[in-house]
Amino acid sequence: MLSIWQTYQGDILSGLKVTLLASLTALVFSLIIGTVMAILQVSKNKWVKRLGDSYVNLFRNLPLLIVVMFFFVVMPLYGFKLDGVTAGTIGLTLYTSAFIADTVRAGIEGVPKGQMEAGIASGLNYRQVMVYIVLPQAFKIVIPPLGNQFINLVKNSSILAMVTGADLMYQGDLVASTTFNTIGTYTLIGLIYLLLTLPLSYFMKYLEIKLASN
């Protein structure tokens, strides 16, 4: 395993950079899209609510690979050619945002309804109450499951390897096929994924304890 690292360090680090970039991009945009969809899901307008529910149900019930392949294989047929990294990141974002939406929705519904009523009574509009009063409390409630979604996102970023995304997993596949040392290669790649996900896991636990004490 050490010899693999010494020989293919450049390729592995290159793949790691792609994985980090795709994961961070997908994390930011999936959180934004997921939060918006969660707000739509709790709307009193039935058509708006139906839009949010339809989005979540669509991407939650499709395999991630299908979503990614749609952008990598189908979209080019209609003139929208995307490279593996872009297609993988978009698919990962949309897929993860559906799970984040459900998580944030549960958090919003966990906030006492009196908070919304009190905010409206104080002169704030619906958007202001949602942004400044409800959402902060909702995120505080759902820190643990939200953290799990972030960790899953990092692990799911390995899907880029299926669309030649040149990510960490893709580089690992190339190294394994070159050296025929599959055990050493995938053990090394697995350890690197652990180095990415374990700190995130500990940080989310720390954040949960920190918020609970406030």
Side-chain angles (χ1 to χ4, degrees), residues 37-168:
M37 290 301 158
I39 294 174
L40 297 185
Q41 284 185 294
V42 298
S43 173
K44 293 182 180 179
N45 185 307
K46 69 176 183 178
W47 295 108
V48 173
K49 184 179 186 304
R50 186 171 295 176
L51 174 63
D53 288 339
S54 298
Y55 178 92
V56 172
N57 288 330
L58 172 65
F59 289 107
R60 276 198 61 169
N61 291 287
L62 283 174
L64 174 57
L65 181 59
I66 294 295
V67 179
V68 172
M69 293 302 287
F70 174 84
F71 289 99
F72 187 66
V73 177
V74 178
M75 293 298 286
L77 299 177
Y78 298 93
F80 299 96
K81 189 171 183 178
L82 302 173
D83 58 61
V85 176
T86 303
T89 302
I90 293 175
L92 187 61
T93 298
L94 296 178
Y95 179 82
T96 306
S97 67
F99 291 90
I100 289 179
D102 244 5
T103 301
V104 176
R105 174 194 56 77
I108 293 174
E109 292 177 343
V111 176
K113 293 182 179 180
Q115 297 286 323
M116 175 65 75
E117 296 169 356
I120 297 294
S122 67
L124 300 177
N125 58 39
Y126 180 86
R127 182 186 64 81
Q128 291 172 322
V129 175
M130 183 62 69
V131 172
Y132 298 115
I133 298 177
V134 176
L135 281 179
Q137 296 182 69
F139 279 117
K140 186 176 180 179
I141 294 172
V142 299
I143 282 295
L146 203 57
N148 290 336
Q149 294 303 330
F150 292 159
I151 293 171
N152 286 336
L153 185 153
V154 175
K155 294 188 294 183
N156 287 338
S157 68
S158 61
I159 196 70
L160 269 69
M162 301 299 295
V163 290
T164 63
D167 66 318
L168 180 59

